[in-house]
């Protein structure tokens, strides 16, 4: 099956310190040499063997263009935007350190109050601004669940706030027929079983991002990671069965030159399960399978012509430019 690449014009409520991007392409597409690691290349057999939303299911998103991305979580306690700023420990293949020791930031849920939170007000702001959909952070890399999951105690309902934050926003969106999406990071620097790379059996490669097995090939996961994959399948199923219609699902562990790979998440089976649970859902490309839409980060304007042969369509439909 084929797909159309769409430009995402999203209100982003955070900033990034480096210019990054992620496109999924066929291995016959032309890729700028200086940024080749930002493009995940697939053979036609791999592409056709994956799973996609239909052009009809993508139609509303093509027309929507403008949406709100609500990025909010534990890091707001210290006026930081994202988990990168706070978590001292970053598990491989991520590297570096945040500013706060694990013994500190992991206690912040005890101070999570949200005394003035009103989901209907937030969604109304999006509607009044002319936005056509809302995407909400359910879990970022810090592993804190912004919903009432039964698979972890590290969650918003175990805070002084005590309510299901995600449900309230989902309900507010559904009340006014605002398409609702969920961001979910596969990365998890809190979960004890998360180990996509066994660093004792791998060597660090390209720009510190990519790990390769000492025996050759991709890095192998740690012994506990199978348990993490099972946990992840459970929570994704939960997100897609507890909160009504989900229009968008936004993963966040980009391929990035081989840093993250589909086998780390059993991504093909995971995304197929998701489509069975939510037949009209559209899924981004950050599970290292092609996905329904690309998610460039601070870079826009490139489209892959050979994947659909519809550059003319994109120019007409979006009024923008292509990479050709």
């Amino acid at each position: 099956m084929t797909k159309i690449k769409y430009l995402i014009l999203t209100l982003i409520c955070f900033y990034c310190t480096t210019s990054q991007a992620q496109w999924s392409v066929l291995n016959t597409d032309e890729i700028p040499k200086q940024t080749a690691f930002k493009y995940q290349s697939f053979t036609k057999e791999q592409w056709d063997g994956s799973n996609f939303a239909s052009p009809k299911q993508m139609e509303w998103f093509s027309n929507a263009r403008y949406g709100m991305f609500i990025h909010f979580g534990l890091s707001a306690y210290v006026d930081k935007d994202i988990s990168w700023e706070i978590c001292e420990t970053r598990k491989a293949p991520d590297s570096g350190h945040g500013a706060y020791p694990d013994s500190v930031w992991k206690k912040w849920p005890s101070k999570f109050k949200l005394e003035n939170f009103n989901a209907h007000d937030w969604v109304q702001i999006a509607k009044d601004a002319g936005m056509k959909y809302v995407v909400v952070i359910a879990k970022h890399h810090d592993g804190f669940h912004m919903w009432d999951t039964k698979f972890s105690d590290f969650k918003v309902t175990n805070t002084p706030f005590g309510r299901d934050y995600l449900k309230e926003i989902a309900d507010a969106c559904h009340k006014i027929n605002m398409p609702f999406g969920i961001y979910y990071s596969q990365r998890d620097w809190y979960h004890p079983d998360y180990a996509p790379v066994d660093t004792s059996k791998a060597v660090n490669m390209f720009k510190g991002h990519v790990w390769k097995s000492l025996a050759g090939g991709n890095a192998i996961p740690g012994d506990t990671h199978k348990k993490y994959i099972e946990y992840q399948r459970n929570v994704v199923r939960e997100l897609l069965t507890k909160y009504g219609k989900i229009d968008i699902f936004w993963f966040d562990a980009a391929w990035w030159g081989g840093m993250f790979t589909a086998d780390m998440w059993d991504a093909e089976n995971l995304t197929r399960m998701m489509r069975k649970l939510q037949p009209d859902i559209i899924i981004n490309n950050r599970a290292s399978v092609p996905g329904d839409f690309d998610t460039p980060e601070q870079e826009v304007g490139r489209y892959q012509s050979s994947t659909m042969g519809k550059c003319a369509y994109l120019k007409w439909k979006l009024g923008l430019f292509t990479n050709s």
Side-chain angles (χ1 to χ4, degrees):
M1 186 179 290
T2 53
K3 69 173 183 177
I4 297 174
K5 302 288 188 168
Y6 293 95
L7 176 66
I8 305 157
L9 297 178
T10 312
L11 178 65
I12 303 294
C13 301
F14 62 94
Y15 70 90
C16 298
T17 57
T18 59
S19 180
Q20 300 189 15
Q22 179 72 56
W23 288 273
S24 299
V25 299
L26 286 173
N27 59 0
T28 53
D29 286 333
E30 292 186 11
I31 301 172
K33 291 182 179 180
Q34 70 274 19
T35 56
F37 63 95
K38 299 179 180 181
Y39 292 77
Q40 184 176 9
S41 179
F42 297 89
T43 66
K44 189 175 187 303
E45 182 180 14
Q46 291 171 324
W47 192 280
D48 291 345
S50 192
N51 64 101
F52 303 99
S54 69
K56 180 66 176 177
Q57 290 165 332
M58 291 295 297
E59 187 174 352
W60 78 266
F61 189 58
S62 169
N63 294 326
R65 304 193 185 191
Y66 184 45
M68 174 178 280
F69 203 120
I70 301 175
H71 201 305
F72 179 80
L74 278 185
S75 57
Y77 178 69
V78 288
D79 295 329
K80 299 295 184 181
D81 302 80
I82 50 179
S83 303
W84 294 105
E85 300 282 343
I86 65 171
C87 301
E88 179 186 51
T89 299
R90 298 175 186 169
K91 298 181 181 180
D94 289 309
S95 60
H97 300 281
Y100 296 87
D102 295 346
S103 59
V104 173
W105 71 264
K106 289 180 180 180
K107 293 180 180 178
W108 290 348
S110 66
K111 304 174 182 181
F112 201 84
K113 296 181 180 179
L114 292 182
E115 293 170 320
N116 297 318
F117 172 68
N118 187 307
H120 295 283
D121 288 349
W122 286 20
V123 174
Q124 191 63 45
I125 288 171
K127 182 179 180 181
D128 290 347
M131 298 179 189
K132 305 301 183 182
Y133 61 92
V134 171
V135 177
V136 181
I137 300 296
K139 180 174 78 72
H140 202 254
H141 312 337
D142 57 22
F144 185 69
H145 302 75
M146 296 294 287
W147 79 95
D148 186 22
T149 179
K150 67 178 182 180
F151 299 102
S152 175
D153 292 330
F154 197 53
K155 60 182 179 178
V156 69
T157 46
N158 285 347
T159 70
F161 177 63
R163 290 154 33 202
D164 192 329
Y165 161 91
L166 189 70
K167 183 180 188 303
E168 293 187 21
I169 299 180
D171 289 348
C173 285
H174 292 142
K175 185 175 182 179
I176 63 169
N177 296 317
M178 173 75 78
F180 174 69
I182 292 174
Y183 164 109
Y184 169 89
S185 173
Q186 307 100 288
R187 293 158 150 146
D188 197 316
W189 302 333
Y190 177 89
H191 198 288
D193 294 329
Y194 176 78
V197 173
D198 185 339
T199 57
S200 70
K201 300 177 181 178
V203 60
N204 197 278
M205 303 290 287
F206 174 73
K207 291 190 175 182
H209 296 314
V210 179
W211 292 77
K212 293 294 182 182
S213 170
L214 293 174
N218 291 336
I220 62 174
D223 293 338
T224 62
H225 195 63
K226 284 185 178 180
K227 293 181 181 178
Y228 182 77
I229 291 177
E230 181 181 0
Y231 147 82
Q232 182 161 265
R233 188 176 179 87
N234 286 335
V235 294
V236 170
R237 182 188 295 110
E238 185 178 58
L239 286 168
L240 297 184
T241 54
K242 286 182 62 175
Y243 299 102
K245 189 175 188 298
I246 307 300
D247 298 283
I248 303 171
F249 203 93
W250 191 296
F251 285 113
D252 193 11
W255 177 77
W256 201 240
M259 181 178 182
F260 293 102
T261 56
D263 58 290
M264 291 178 174
W265 328 117
D266 190 25
E268 192 65 48
N269 288 326
L270 180 64
T271 51
R272 289 179 186 276
M273 177 196 77
M274 294 167 67
R275 296 191 193 281
K276 287 182 180 179
L277 296 173
Q278 294 276 349
D280 292 325
I281 199 168
I282 62 174
I283 305 169
N284 76 337
N285 66 327
R286 292 198 178 192
S288 298
V289 292
D292 300 317
F293 61 94
D294 287 347
T295 47
E297 194 167 301
Q298 294 200 12
E299 290 191 34
V300 296
R302 289 179 179 146
Y303 298 93
Q304 288 72 54
S305 59
S306 63
T307 57
M308 280 289 285
K310 292 201 174 182
C311 277
Y313 171 83
L314 287 168
K315 289 177 180 178
W316 166 76
K317 189 72 173 179
L318 298 177
L320 296 168
F321 49 90
T322 74
N323 195 33
S324 57

